[in-house]
Amino acid sequence: MTIAFFLALSFAGISAELSALLAAAGITGIILGFSAQTVVANFISGIFMYFDKPLNIGDQVKIGELEGIVEDIRILSTRIRAWDGTLIRIPNEKLFNSNIINLQRYPARRVEIEIGIAYSADTEKAIEVIKKTLNEMPLVLAEPGPVVFVKELGDSAVVLSIRAWAPSERWFDVRTEAVSRIKKALDEAGIEIPFPQRVNWFANELRVKVDKES
């Protein structure tokens, strides 16, 4: 019956048109297959992320070079509002395969600040002034308490590392306020925050010409 069907089509003169239709259908199927592959991958990734739950709406996140607040989580994509107010749509497949840094998953987050003081300054006094300043800030957690230590001896300054814990939702406010208060406290204590300095050595002795009229 199959052979007779195709022979009948051949005798009727429409076998060529049928072949063209089958070829077109095959090409269309390939195109739809590739398109559906991306949709299916995003769909499956969205299901995995639903059970894994690395993100929640309202979380502050960092994904690669992108950073902002999660606005919406959908089955095919996730939308993030960047700090400059722009909307970023990330396909779930790409999001699922990326390193996701959730900045607000835990209630407390550490603030890290580095500041340089002059080599002539009293290091112990500077550490004491900074700790006192942090302890006076109401949003800096008492447990774990602030830590201040000498990190390294830089080219122009003694570098102090400052670490304190704050509520995750107020992390940025605490950091900016801490930098301002520490700068003011060190100025009042007479502890210098030096400019970058360089010492230049010359192979030959420099000669200076003095103008007698001046």
Side-chain angles (χ1 to χ4, degrees):
M1 291 178 63
T2 304
I3 295 173
F5 174 74
F6 284 104
L7 287 174
L9 292 177
S10 178
F11 291 143
I14 61 174
S15 59
E17 289 78 359
L18 181 61
S19 299
L21 290 175
L22 292 175
I27 295 173
T28 303
I30 293 174
I31 295 174
L32 293 176
F34 279 112
S35 301
Q37 182 180 6
T38 302
V39 175
V40 171
N42 288 327
F43 178 79
I44 294 176
S45 298
I47 294 176
F48 286 154
M49 289 186 59
Y50 174 79
F51 290 102
D52 191 29
K53 295 187 182 299
L55 304 175
N56 291 314
I57 295 177
D59 286 349
Q60 299 177 13
V61 297
K62 184 176 182 181
I63 304 169
E65 297 180 354
L66 305 176
E67 188 171 349
I69 299 176
V70 179
E71 286 285 311
D72 193 12
I73 302 175
R74 301 185 180 182
I75 197 64
L76 297 180
S77 64
T78 299
R79 288 162 170 75
I80 295 176
R81 178 167 57 87
W83 300 126
D84 60 358
T86 56
L87 177 66
I88 303 173
R89 177 188 176 276
I90 305 176
N92 283 337
E93 180 186 11
K94 181 178 179 181
L95 184 65
F96 185 75
N97 294 322
S98 300
N99 292 327
I100 301 174
I101 301 176
N102 194 322
L103 304 175
Q104 206 171 337
R105 171 54 63 91
Y106 301 110
R109 183 180 170 194
R110 191 171 69 183
V111 175
E112 296 186 10
I113 303 170
E114 290 186 1
I115 189 170
I117 62 173
Y119 273 91
S120 59
D122 187 342
T123 304
E124 296 298 329
K125 180 180 178 181
I127 293 176
E128 181 181 351
V129 169
I130 294 173
K131 283 186 175 181
K132 182 176 182 297
T133 303
L134 294 174
N135 289 330
E136 292 174 352
M137 296 179 60
L139 291 177
V140 173
L141 301 184
E143 183 62 34
V147 176
V148 185
F149 59 91
V150 177
K151 181 180 180 180
E152 63 179 355
L153 302 177
D155 295 336
S156 306
V158 178
V159 180
L160 301 181
S161 181
I162 305 165
R163 297 179 180 179
W165 290 84
S168 296
E169 66 274 8
R170 301 296 300 275
W171 179 89
F172 182 78
D173 297 333
V174 172
R175 191 185 189 284
T176 54
E177 183 181 355
V179 172
S180 177
R181 287 198 181 196
I182 290 172
K183 171 64 169 60
K184 182 179 180 181
L186 292 177
D187 289 342
E188 292 176 351
I191 299 173
E192 179 187 0
I193 300 176
F195 293 101
Q197 303 175 14
R198 293 290 184 272
V199 178
N200 297 322
W201 296 89
F202 297 92
N204 299 320
E205 183 178 356
L206 295 180
R207 296 181 179 181
V208 180
K209 183 179 180 180
V210 179
D211 188 354
K212 293 182 179 180
E213 294 182 359
S214 61

